[in-house]
Amino acid sequence: MRHGNFMLKEGAVRLSDDVRIREEYFGGIVFHRSTGDTLEVDHEAYKLLAWLRKTGAADIRALLHQKQVRAILPVLLTMNIIEHLPMITGASVCLAIPDHVMRKKDITFAPRDSAHINLSTPETVHLAVTYRCDETCPDCYVRRQKPPADQELNTVEMCNIIDILADNGVFQLAVGGGEPFVRTDISDIIRHAAGRGLVVHLSTGQYVLKPQWEDTLKHVKSLHIGIRSEELINDAEHTSEKLRVLAEYAANAGIGIGANIIMTRFSIRNMDKLVELLLKCGYKRLIFLRYKPTADRGRWNNENPDAEELKLFKNWLTHTKHQYPQLMLRVDCASAFLMKDTNPLTALRAGIRGCAAGEQIISVAPDGSVYPCSQLVGHVHSAGNLTSDSFMTIWQESHVLNEYRHFRQNTSFADSVCGQCDANSFCGGCRVFAKDILGSEPFCPMAPRVPY
């Protein structure tokens, strides 16, 4: 068996150090700490990975005699889920997998086959450590939600929340706000999360690196900068220099850095210029965020792209991906309709499921309240509070979370344009835009427009 430039004829394989695995009803989830990617595998593949985790390593020659393992071994190696050990030395273990461990069927990557069983715990938690912010960004969604800015857990309480998430098998923590750096204890919070084994990602709207940030950022896997598109375009020289310094610091510190770009009409019209400026500043990861309703409804109505503009943006994405192969371009789950032409089975195998609210993700507010998504907060969306309610009670029994994770089975969705769409299994629209939260998406560029 060939892998890379060598033949796997001897030695062993083992689970990569950066990989975590978690058993689920369909098999298991593989999480790669270096990339933040997750992969769902069936029961047999999970058994193989669990065996490697337990024993340390397995003899390649023994593996090659097992048909069901032989088929997937090159894929696992290519994805750096397992790694090749040419020689076994010292106390390393080199064992064959006993026949009783594996069933006699081929191992595959397995899309979930049940719409009614949820994961044992979310993959990622969005933690808003504060709703305070000194900026006045016109497109801030937090002001639309009008949350109380003074209800924040203290350092010990916030670390207790993090302990609960880590103890229940959460992989990643996406820390944001508000502006997280307004908390003087943000370094303590993030250091604690990293110490508990969580992969921490941090979002900020700050462009100027301050000395006290350094202790915080050394515990962060990736830093996401909220780009104010109009400021970058209209004051390119001054703003670009600040963004360049941030990117240079991240590169030297070994921190991944990305630019979050809200898909307003202005940014879509100026996207070529934005990309050119960000590339020059050293940003090679661009995340495009659906423009959610803001506190200023007049501005949102003026800046919210229509169906034709979103179609143009979709074509722009395809063109730009070929023009700049070094760029990593991603869209958020609210923009899943941009991938509507994808084969549904291909989408499921790639882990594309559209809205992940209450299923792959949950959001935790500064006061410990749990919501399906950071965009869906407030009393009507509350699933409980981690300072007073059991995590598993919230996760398994919350009516709110179950409504969101199974919205496709709701009659108002199933009978809608979205429900009848071939892409409903991996899209389904964004719950923020749906009139009754669980119904159809009125702004899908692939469907007739419905008055909002």
Side-chain angles (χ1 to χ4, degrees), residues 146-197:
K146 298 183 174 66
D150 59 342
Q151 295 182 13
E152 291 180 8
L153 300 180
N154 61 35
T155 310
V156 173
E157 292 168 329
M158 193 64 74
C159 289
N160 287 340
I161 296 289
I162 289 169
D163 286 338
I164 291 170
L165 301 178
D167 290 343
N168 281 279
V170 172
F171 294 135
Q172 305 185 87
L173 194 66
V175 177
E179 172 51 59
F181 281 110
V182 303
R183 286 194 66 137
T184 57
D185 61 351
I186 187 62
S187 179
D188 297 324
I189 292 169
I190 288 182
R191 187 190 309 114
H192 184 76
R196 286 306 315 271

Side-chain angles (χ1 to χ4, degrees), residues 279-299:
L279 266 174
K280 287 181 179 178
C281 292
Y283 293 78
K284 296 182 180 179
R285 178 186 173 92
L286 308 182
I287 303 96
F288 300 99
L289 308 177
R290 182 90 177 270
Y291 189 33
K292 313 298 191 307
T294 63
D296 185 346
R297 183 51 66 94
R299 174 179 167 82

Side-chain angles (χ1 to χ4, degrees), residues 305-325:
D306 62 24
E308 289 305 313
E309 289 166 319
L310 289 172
K311 287 180 181 178
L312 289 173
F313 177 72
K314 178 183 178 180
N315 294 334
W316 177 89
L317 275 177
T318 302
H319 172 75
T320 304
K321 187 176 180 179
H322 288 96
Q323 184 180 6
Y324 300 105

Side-chain angles (χ1 to χ4, degrees), residues 80-100:
N80 297 317
I81 294 171
I82 61 175
E83 58 187 28
H84 176 244
L85 304 173
M87 297 180 65
I88 301 296
T89 60
S92 297
V93 181
C94 186
L95 300 173
I97 298 181
D99 290 338
H100 72 270

Side-chain angles (χ1 to χ4, degrees), residues 357-358 372 376 381 400-407 431 437-438:
L376 296 165
H381 304 297
V400 170
L401 294 186
N402 278 298
E403 269 199 325
Y404 281 100
R405 64 172 61 118
H406 302 313
F407 73 87
R431 303 300 91 211
I437 303 298
L438 301 175

Side-chain angles (χ1 to χ4, degrees), residues 163-427:
D163 286 338
I164 291 170
L165 301 178
D167 290 343
N168 281 279
V170 172
F171 294 135
Q172 305 185 87
L173 194 66
V175 177
E179 172 51 59
F181 281 110
V182 303
R183 286 194 66 137
T184 57
D185 61 351
I186 187 62
S187 179
D188 297 324
I189 292 169
I190 288 182
R191 187 190 309 114
H192 184 76
R196 286 306 315 271
L198 291 164
V199 171
V200 183
H201 310 279
L202 180 64
S203 295
T204 177
Q206 296 290 312
Y207 286 0
V208 179
L209 181 69
K210 299 176 182 177
Q212 60 266 35
W213 289 16
E214 296 188 13
D215 184 55
T216 302
L217 294 180
K218 69 183 180 183
H219 302 288
V220 167
K221 187 67 178 177
S222 64
L223 181 64
H224 299 268
I225 310 299
I227 301 299
R228 298 184 284 277
S229 298
E230 294 175 33
E231 180 180 334
L232 179 55
I233 292 293
N234 296 329
D235 188 16
E237 183 176 356
H238 185 232
T239 305
S240 291
E241 177 59 18
K242 290 189 286 188
L243 291 172
R244 185 197 65 77
V245 171
L246 269 181
E248 183 177 292
Y249 171 83
N252 292 335
I255 302 167
I257 192 166
N260 291 344
I261 304 171
I262 298 176
M263 293 155 50
T264 62
R265 280 182 169 154
F266 178 88
S267 63
I268 288 176
R269 286 196 303 266
N270 292 277
M271 200 59 78
D272 285 329
K273 183 63 175 177
L274 285 170
V275 170
E276 178 187 348
L277 289 169
L278 289 169
L279 266 174
K280 287 181 179 178
C281 292
Y283 293 78
K284 296 182 180 179
R285 178 186 173 92
L286 308 182
I287 303 96
F288 300 99
L289 308 177
R290 182 90 177 270
Y291 189 33
K292 313 298 191 307
T294 63
D296 185 346
R297 183 51 66 94
R299 174 179 167 82
W300 186 76
N301 286 334
N302 290 331
E303 281 295 317
N304 186 37
D306 62 24
E308 289 305 313
E309 289 166 319
L310 289 172
K311 287 180 181 178
L312 289 173
F313 177 72
K314 178 183 178 180
N315 294 334
W316 177 89
L317 275 177
T318 302
H319 172 75
T320 304
K321 187 176 180 179
H322 288 96
Q323 184 180 6
Y324 300 105
Q326 75 274 32
L327 274 178
M328 179 181 292
L329 305 175
R330 293 195 174 183
V331 297
D332 65 352
C333 59
S335 307
F337 53 71
L338 295 173
M339 295 174 280
K340 181 178 179 293
D341 297 335
T342 306
N343 178 281
L345 184 57
T346 300
L348 288 175
R349 285 177 172 169
I352 302 171
R353 289 190 178 81
C355 179
E359 171 62 356
Q360 291 169 291
I361 65 167
I362 58 170
S363 176
V364 178
D367 67 349
S369 295
V370 175
Y371 300 106
C373 164
S374 58
Q375 295 283 339
L376 296 165
V377 303
H379 179 71
V380 69
H381 304 297
S382 177
N385 191 296
L386 289 175
T387 63
S388 57
D389 304 316
S390 158
F391 177 89
M392 275 303 160
T393 298
I394 294 174
W395 179 249
Q396 295 174 351
E397 300 178 16
S398 165
H399 174 70
V400 170
L401 294 186
N402 278 298
E403 269 199 325
Y404 281 100
R405 64 172 61 118
H406 302 313
F407 73 87
R408 290 178 178 83
Q409 282 71 56
N410 186 281
T411 302
S412 63
F413 178 85
D415 295 339
S416 71
V417 174
C418 283
Q420 300 300 313
C421 176
D422 291 340
N424 75 74
S425 63
F426 63 92
C427 179

